[in-house]
């Protein structure tokens, strides 16, 4: 057993921000599922949205967020996050993040759904630079212990106490060590889930391999509500390449003039779907437009073309994308890029308040695993990293302010493996993983119907019985843990989608094509 003051599950932007804000007063342990930098933060190409340009205002940023979110956002939360952005950028600058500059000011780019240039960036690799700076600071702090290769299984709650108190508190997590296969118990007075999203529920996703909805599934099993799980964002422009999967072409390419072209007709097509905003329409609109063109013309992909811009401009703004594509035989300064939509971001998740508190005493959450009210029915580009910084700090602030009121950790039972054996059927895990991701893509994708959702739900019921039986009889492995969480998250997505009898933002169903007059969250209660 390992005990600390505060336990953080996840080593990305949200988790490390919380850790750095707590470590001057408390002993903090941060668990990473794999390597410390393998999470979604390092994959973020675009940047961080912040009002820094003369003529831009907080109100403009708030309205852009609300419009993208189709009115499902919580305005108070949107204002809270937007107003916290400039300070977050200042703190990152002090940590050494080398943001792009123009003269004496930060260079700001523009992305879809934004009315102004307000995206602070490090070329096209902002997430990587942010991850490096936060990780470097965390590694240097004596009160932060970073533990890689720990795959969280479940939250330690009242039912794991030696003497059950009935209080319903969360006391940490059980996690399996990838190297040894041993299950460790990590306890703390306060636990923060910063585990990222659930992109790998889908066959095609820009998310890293570990985005399997772990925090959402663990919180749900422990008794926390989830909300708006049907709101899965599909990024319009993922590179179409049979050898290289999941390579994202950042929104900023369209922000800097990239045009979407039908390769059969040779014409721009966004005027048929959103004549005013064209390629700069919100992601849900652009993703549905591309999906419609692909289906209408029987295409494998559409073209994203920025070759009309000067070559030196393209190479300067998108150096990493340029080098990646050159290696694949595509020169984006002279050729169009083949792109398709792919799952990109989980807008729903664990219900939290402004302080990052969940329904469960002692449990906080921040980042993509949450539904804070910021994103609503569709995340505005470059608001994701911003949410991590603001809520990572909010969690830390609330824990510090209420530390004396948190009860001491009781004796928690160790993990019990006395009635299980090693599996001799690992092929079952691989088969079920593939099946889940395929039917989620086909039935619960960009365009949905009730019949498709019901088909997915029927498959989930059958697989749940099979996976739970497997989980109950064999020792846990990282693959089994992820499969269990994928299936639980898929069930929540489908159930939420069946509850919403309208089309709003990212949830578009042919059976309910109109948007209801009132925007209401889909809240599921365990």
């Amino acid at each position: 057993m390992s005990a600390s003051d505060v336990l953080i599950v996840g080593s990305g932007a949200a988790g490390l921000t919380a850790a750095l804000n707590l470590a001057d007063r408390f002993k903090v342990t941060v668990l990473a599922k794999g390597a410390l930098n393998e999470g979604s933060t390092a994959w973020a190409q675009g940047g961080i949205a912040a009002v820094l340009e003369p003529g831009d205002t907080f109100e403009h940023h708030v309205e852009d967020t609300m419009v993208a979110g189709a009115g499902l956002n919580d305005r108070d939360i949107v204002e809270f996050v937007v107003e916290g952005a400039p300070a977050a950028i200042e703190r990152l600058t002090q940590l050494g993040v080398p943001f792009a500059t123009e003269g004496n000011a930060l260079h700001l780019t523009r992305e879809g759904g934004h009315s102004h240039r307000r995206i602070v960036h490090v070329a096209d690799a902002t997430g990587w630079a942010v991850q490096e700076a936060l990780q470097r600071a965390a590694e240097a702090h004596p009160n932060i212990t970073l533990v890689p290769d720990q795959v969280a299984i479940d939250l330690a709650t009242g039912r794991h106490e030696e003497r059950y108190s009935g209080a319903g508190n969360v006391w940490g997590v059980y996690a399996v060590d990838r190297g040894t296969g041993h299950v460790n118990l990590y306890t703390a007075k306060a636990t923060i889930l910063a585990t990222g999203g659930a992109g790998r529920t889908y066959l095609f996703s820009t998310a890293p391999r570990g985005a399997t909805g772990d925090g959402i599934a663990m919180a749900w099993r422990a008794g926390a509500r989830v909300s708006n799980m049907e709101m899965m964002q599909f990024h319009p422009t993922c590179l179409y390449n049979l050898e290289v999967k999941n390579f994202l072409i950042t929104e900023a390419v369209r922000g800097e003039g990239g045009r979407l072209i039908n390769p059969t007709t040779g014409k721009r097509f966004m005027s048929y779907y959103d004549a005013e905003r064209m390629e700069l329409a919100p992601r849900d609109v652009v993703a549905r437009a591309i999906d419609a063109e692909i289906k209408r013309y029987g295409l494998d992909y559409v073209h994203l073309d920025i070759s009309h811009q000067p070559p030196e401009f393209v190479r300067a703004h998108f150096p990493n994308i340029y080098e990646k594509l050159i290696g694949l035989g595509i020169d984006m300064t002279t050729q169009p890029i083949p792109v398709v939509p792919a799952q990109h971001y989980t807008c729903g998740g664990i219900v939290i308040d402004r302080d990052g508190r969940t329904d469960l005493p002692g449990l906080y959450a921040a980042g993509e695993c949450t539904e804070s009210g910021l994103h609503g029915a569709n995340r505005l580009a470059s608001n994701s990293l911003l949410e991590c910084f603001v809520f990572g700090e909010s969690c830390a602030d609330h824990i510090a302010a209420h530390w004396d009121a948190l009860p001491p950790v009781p004796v928690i039972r160790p993990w019990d493996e006395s009635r299980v054996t090693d599996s001799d059927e690992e092929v079952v895990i691989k088969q079920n993983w593939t099946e889940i991701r395929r039917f989620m893509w086909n039935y619960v994708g960009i365009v949905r119907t009730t019949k498709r959702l019901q088909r997915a739900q029927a498959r989930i019921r059958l697989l749940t019985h099979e996976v739970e039986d497997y989980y109950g009889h064999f020792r846990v492995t990282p693959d089994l843990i992820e499969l269990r969480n994928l299936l639980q998250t898929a069930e929540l997505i489908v159930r939420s989608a069946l509850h919403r009898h309208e089309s709003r933002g990212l949830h578009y169903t042919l059976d309910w094509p109109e948007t209801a007059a009132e925007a209401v969250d889909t809240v599921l209660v365990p």
Side-chain angles (χ1 to χ4, degrees):
M1 187 188 80
S2 176
S4 52
D5 294 329
V6 181
L7 175 67
I8 299 173
V9 187
S11 60
L16 293 181
T17 297
L20 289 169
N21 278 274
L22 285 162
D24 286 345
R25 282 187 59 189
F26 307 106
K27 295 287 186 181
V28 181
T29 297
V30 179
L31 303 185
K33 190 176 184 180
L36 296 172
N37 60 1
E38 280 185 5
S40 295
T41 295
W43 289 46
Q45 292 177 344
I48 306 162
V51 173
L52 299 170
E53 181 186 60
D56 196 6
T57 65
F58 289 147
E59 187 58 31
H60 286 147
H61 191 174
V62 169
E63 287 306 315
D64 291 345
T65 302
M66 297 290 293
V67 169
L72 197 62
N73 328 62
D74 181 328
R75 179 175 283 274
D76 288 341
I77 293 295
V78 175
E79 291 174 353
F80 170 62
V81 175
V82 164
E83 290 169 9
I89 297 299
E90 177 60 28
R91 285 190 289 275
L92 291 169
T93 301
Q94 292 172 358
L95 286 175
V97 178
F99 291 119
T101 57
E102 191 171 50
N104 295 322
L106 293 172
H107 178 267
L108 304 176
T109 190
R110 185 179 173 188
E111 294 182 341
H114 288 273
S115 59
H116 291 72
R117 286 183 171 269
R118 64 168 72 100
I119 313 304
V120 183
H121 63 99
V122 183
D124 56 353
T126 307
W128 184 259
V130 167
Q131 179 70 34
E132 280 200 323
L134 291 171
Q135 192 172 314
R136 187 168 56 245
E139 288 171 339
H141 203 294
N143 278 349
I144 297 177
T145 301
L146 302 170
V147 190
D149 297 319
Q150 303 296 305
V151 184
I153 306 167
D154 263 321
L155 294 167
T157 64
R159 65 191 179 93
H160 302 105
E161 298 170 10
E162 277 202 354
R163 293 186 177 182
Y164 179 52
S165 65
N169 288 63
V170 170
W171 304 113
V173 300
Y174 295 97
V176 63
D177 186 300
R178 284 186 185 274
T180 66
H182 179 70
V183 176
N184 298 312
L185 170 61
Y186 293 90
T187 62
K189 288 175 67 173
T191 300
I192 302 173
L193 292 176
T195 51
R200 287 299 171 144
T201 315
Y202 286 85
L203 185 61
F204 302 107
S205 174
T206 64
R209 168 66 173 71
T212 50
D214 305 325
I216 296 169
M218 289 193 298
W220 171 260
R221 287 193 294 265
R225 291 173 301 158
V226 299
S227 178
N228 297 342
M229 287 297 296
E230 73 274 28
M231 299 305 178
M232 276 287 175
Q233 186 177 81
F234 292 82
H235 197 288
T237 54
C238 184
L239 175 67
Y240 178 83
N241 186 286
L242 298 180
E243 297 178 5
V244 179
K245 297 181 180 179
N246 310 320
F247 184 70
L248 176 67
I249 307 299
T250 176
E251 190 115 1
V253 172
R254 284 181 284 125
E256 295 297 342
R259 301 166 180 170
L260 288 167
I261 309 291
N262 183 312
T264 297
T265 66
K267 296 179 179 179
R268 293 175 76 177
F269 56 81
M270 279 307 300
S271 59
Y272 304 124
Y273 302 95
D274 196 314
E276 181 180 349
R277 294 175 292 187
M278 297 289 283
E279 284 84 3
L280 291 179
R283 287 176 176 174
D284 60 323
V285 176
V286 180
R288 279 199 299 274
I290 295 173
D291 184 67
E293 291 289 304
I294 287 173
K295 289 175 178 174
R296 180 181 178 189
Y297 288 90
L299 306 172
D300 290 324
Y301 54 82
V302 299
H303 280 148
L304 176 60
D305 191 2
I306 196 171
S307 63
H308 56 280
Q309 294 281 34
E312 59 275 10
F313 174 90
V314 174
R315 287 192 291 266
H317 278 71
F318 310 108
N320 293 287
I321 294 174
Y322 175 79
E323 290 298 331
K324 181 73 172 183
L325 294 179
I326 281 290
L328 298 171
I330 302 170
D331 184 348
M332 66 187 291
T333 67
T334 61
Q335 298 171 274
I337 307 165
V339 295
V340 291
Q343 191 285 338
H344 183 58
Y345 193 84
T346 308
C347 288
I350 307 161
V351 175
I352 61 169
D353 66 9
R354 182 169 170 156
D355 297 312
R357 290 182 296 175
T358 71
D359 296 326
L360 307 177
L363 182 66
Y364 296 74
E368 194 178 352
C369 67
T370 71
E371 201 288 293
S372 66
L374 173 62
H375 304 307
N378 181 26
R379 175 176 69 86
L380 182 65
S382 291
N383 270 354
S384 51
L385 286 176
L386 174 58
E387 181 183 37
C388 291
F389 306 133
V390 172
F391 278 96
E393 185 172 351
S394 287
C395 290
D397 288 347
H398 191 272
I399 290 169
H402 298 81
W403 182 255
D404 292 340
L406 292 174
V409 180
V411 177
I412 305 296
R413 295 192 303 273
W415 188 256
D416 181 9
E417 291 188 332
S418 62
R419 291 169 291 177
V420 296
T421 60
D422 290 325
S423 169
D424 58 356
E425 295 181 303
E426 287 295 315
V427 67
V428 173
I429 295 175
K430 184 176 181 181
Q431 168 62 29
N432 288 347
W433 177 297
T434 302
E435 184 175 350
I436 293 166
R437 297 181 68 205
R438 188 168 294 280
F439 72 63
M440 287 296 289
W441 181 259
N442 290 332
Y443 297 153
V444 200
I446 297 170
V447 177
R448 301 162 179 175
T449 68
T450 300
K451 192 171 185 178
R452 291 176 197 166
L453 293 172
Q454 288 171 341
R455 283 176 175 161
Q457 191 173 56
R459 293 301 307 141
I460 289 169
R461 285 173 180 154
L462 289 173
L463 288 173
T464 297
H465 177 75
E466 188 173 305
V467 170
E468 287 303 321
D469 182 68
Y470 193 96
Y471 179 81
H473 286 86
F474 299 112
R475 285 190 176 87
V476 293
T477 64
D479 286 347
L480 175 57
I481 294 164
E482 289 186 328
L483 174 64
R484 184 178 181 232
N485 291 335
L486 272 178
L487 191 57
Q488 179 65 80
T489 306
E491 193 270 334
L492 295 171
I493 294 167
V494 172
R495 196 196 305 185
S496 296
L498 284 167
H499 270 292
R500 188 170 291 281
H501 292 170
E502 63 164 348
S503 288
R504 183 182 297 275
L506 300 166
H507 176 71
Y508 185 82
T509 171
L510 297 177
D511 294 306
W512 306 87
E514 302 300 320
T515 301
E518 184 181 3
V520 179
D521 290 325
T522 303
V523 180
L524 300 182
V525 181

